[in-house]
């Protein structure tokens, strides 16, 4: 019979309560990083197989055109002849000799600086307000705010509201009250055209980003607010900064990308309300300049240079927003 060994009770308790040591990741010395990567790909081959169609389509129709456009921007190409390599001549012409491009760049930056942040903040504030409503009433109010962005060219209603004759609603009201003596040509006047287009753009800005914000607010765990109250969160603003916004980072990033894309691609509203081109090119943007050279003049090399500048502006804005969002909750 095996001899039993008595172990002190305190020693047994110490062994029972001793935490297990966590295993540290072991670096593989028997394979290179490339071999290890290939091994992981084979181990997760099913996941890569499922994502392959999307990655293939994304690479062919997004990544490749970007690099092709960058290459064509260094050439003189009219779609009929072989591209002639001119290096940076297109960019030099853009910034030094093309006054209309400079005006378009200035207008685009003004549009983006106003409509981008304002529509982004407006979408979140409205979504935050709607999130506090009862569920049934919340759905109705969401539809009311979201409807303008899904109703096609509903912004053309503003052509009637701001019509330049006495039948325009605004002009009719101002004439009947004696504030003005003759109708104001809102979309034919340099002083009014651009501000009116910005207002209309903001009116239609509660789109997909607005819905993503509502969805993000719905998934915030309510127990986090209780834990925050225990940790010293005292009011709703602190709840928003330290709890709500950090949890919603993915939705906030998606909304920022949509706002950047919409604000820099601003052009359809101007075409519908002010015509193309607008009076004295007061609302001429980079998208107008790009379409003019690419679709009308078929100067593909020059239009590619404009597209690269527009892409650089969007990409830089995206990096800036990403850096700002990383500061949330700090």
């Amino acid at each position: 019979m095996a001899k039993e060994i008595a172990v002190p009770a305190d020693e047994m308790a110490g062994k029972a309560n001793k935490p297990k040591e966590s295993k540290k990741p072991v670096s593989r010395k028997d394979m290179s990083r490339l071999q290890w990567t290939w091994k992981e790909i084979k181990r997760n081959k099913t996941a890569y197989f499922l994502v392959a169609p999307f990655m293939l389509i994304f690479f062919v129709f997004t990544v490749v055109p970007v690099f092709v456009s960058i290459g064509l921007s260094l050439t003189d190409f009219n779609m009929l002849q072989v591209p002639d390599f001119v290096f940076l001549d297109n960019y030099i012409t853009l910034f030094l000799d093309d006054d209309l491009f400079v005006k378009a760049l200035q207008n685009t930056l003004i549009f983006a600086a106003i409509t981008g942040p304002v529509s982004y903040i407006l979408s979140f504030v409205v979504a935050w307000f709607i999130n506090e409503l009862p569920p049934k009433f919340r759905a109705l109010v969401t539809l009311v705010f979201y409807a303008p962005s899904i109703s096609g060219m509903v912004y053309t209603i503003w052509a009637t509201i701001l019509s330049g004759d006495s039948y325009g609603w605004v002009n009719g009201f101002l004439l009947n009250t004696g504030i003005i003596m003759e109708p104001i040509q809102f979309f034919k006047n340099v002083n009014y055209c651009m501000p009116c287009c910005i207002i209309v753009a903001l009116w239609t800005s509660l789109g997909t980003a607005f819905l993503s914000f509502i969805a993000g607010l719905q998934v915030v765990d309510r127990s986090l607010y209780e834990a925050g109250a225990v940790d010293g969160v005292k009011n709703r603003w602190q709840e928003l900064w330290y709890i709500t916004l950090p949890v919603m980072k993915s939705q906030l990033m998606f909304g920022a990308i949509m706002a950047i894309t919409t604000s820099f691609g601003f052009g359809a509203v101007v075409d519908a309300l002010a015509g193309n081109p607008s009076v004295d090119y007061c609302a001429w943007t980079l998208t107008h300049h790009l379409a003019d050279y690419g679709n009308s003049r078929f100067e593909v090399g020059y239009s590619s240079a404009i597209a690269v500048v527009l892409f650089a502006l969007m990409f830089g804005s995206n990096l800036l927003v990403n850096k700002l969002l990383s500061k949330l909750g700090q």
Side-chain angles (χ1 to χ4, degrees):
M1 183 180 294
K3 185 178 180 181
E4 296 182 357
I5 302 176
V7 180
D10 55 349
E11 185 176 344
M12 288 293 293
K15 290 182 179 180
N17 297 329
K18 185 178 180 180
K20 296 182 179 179
E21 295 182 359
S22 59
K23 295 183 179 180
K24 296 182 179 180
V26 180
S27 59
R28 298 294 300 266
K29 301 295 185 181
D30 57 336
M31 62 175 63
S32 64
R33 180 180 293 272
L34 181 60
Q35 291 173 330
W36 180 84
T37 303
W38 179 245
K39 179 182 177 182
E40 289 296 307
I41 291 176
K42 289 193 295 184
R43 186 170 67 89
N44 300 290
K45 59 183 178 182
T46 303
Y48 284 99
F49 178 77
L50 293 174
V51 81
F54 168 79
M55 293 302 299
L56 180 62
I57 295 174
F58 177 79
F59 181 79
V60 172
F61 293 101
T62 302
V63 177
V64 171
V66 169
F67 285 99
V68 170
S69 181
I70 294 174
L72 290 176
S73 70
L74 305 176
T75 66
D76 181 13
F77 181 41
N78 59 6
M79 294 186 69
L80 298 176
Q81 299 173 341
V82 178
D84 182 22
F85 184 73
V86 295
F87 195 46
L88 297 177
D89 286 0
N90 288 331
Y91 295 97
I92 294 173
T93 303
L94 275 178
F95 289 98
L96 298 182
D97 294 335
D98 192 344
D99 294 335
L100 194 55
F101 167 79
V102 175
K103 188 175 186 64
L105 178 62
Q106 178 183 354
N107 289 337
T108 301
L109 291 176
I110 293 174
F111 277 128
I114 296 176
T115 60
V118 173
S119 64
Y120 185 72
I121 295 173
L122 183 64
S123 296
F124 181 81
V125 171
V126 174
W128 192 26
F129 166 74
I130 292 177
N131 187 60
E132 301 298 322
L133 300 176
K136 293 183 179 180
F137 191 52
R138 183 192 306 151
L140 176 62
V141 177
T142 301
L143 177 62
V144 170
F145 279 97
Y146 184 60
S149 65
I150 60 174
S151 302
M153 297 181 65
V154 68
Y155 49 77
T156 54
I157 191 177
W158 287 86
T160 302
I161 296 174
L162 299 175
S163 178
D165 51 32
S166 59
Y167 295 100
W169 297 357
V170 174
N171 275 322
F173 173 77
L174 295 177
L175 288 170
N176 292 332
T177 54
I179 298 177
I180 59 175
M181 301 306 297
E182 59 182 14
I184 300 175
Q185 303 297 320
F186 288 102
F187 295 112
K188 300 300 180 183
N189 189 311
V190 176
N191 297 324
Y192 294 105
C193 182
M194 192 168 177
C196 289
C197 290
I198 291 176
I199 292 173
V200 176
L202 291 176
W203 182 69
T204 59
S205 64
L206 298 182
T208 309
F210 166 68
L211 291 184
S212 71
F213 291 157
I214 293 179
L217 290 167
Q218 291 294 310
V219 300
V220 178
D221 190 353
R222 296 297 171 182
S223 63
L224 294 176
Y225 296 117
E226 299 175 2
V230 175
D231 291 338
V233 175
K234 300 178 181 179
N235 52 54
R236 296 297 301 274
W237 293 108
Q238 289 182 346
E239 285 183 356
L240 177 67
W241 181 254
Y242 292 109
I243 300 175
T244 307
L245 294 181
V247 173
M248 290 179 56
K249 275 188 179 180
S250 58
Q251 288 86 1
L252 293 174
M253 191 63 209
F254 173 77
I257 293 173
M258 297 300 297
I260 291 171
T261 304
T262 304
S263 61
F264 279 103
F266 191 80
V269 174
V270 177
D271 293 343
L273 300 179
N276 187 4
S278 55
V279 57
D280 291 340
Y281 295 95
C282 63
W284 189 257
T285 64
L286 288 180
T287 55
H288 292 121
H289 209 53
L290 173 61
D292 181 32
Y293 277 92
N295 300 337
S296 300
R297 308 187 190 192
F298 298 105
E299 297 184 20
V300 179
Y302 196 74
S303 63
S304 295
I306 301 172
V308 170
V309 173
L310 187 59
F311 172 76
L313 291 174
M314 290 184 178
F315 187 73
S317 301
N318 189 20
L319 292 179
L320 177 62
V321 171
N322 193 14
K323 188 172 184 62
L324 292 176
L325 291 179
S326 65
K327 303 294 183 181
L328 290 176
Q330 297 182 6

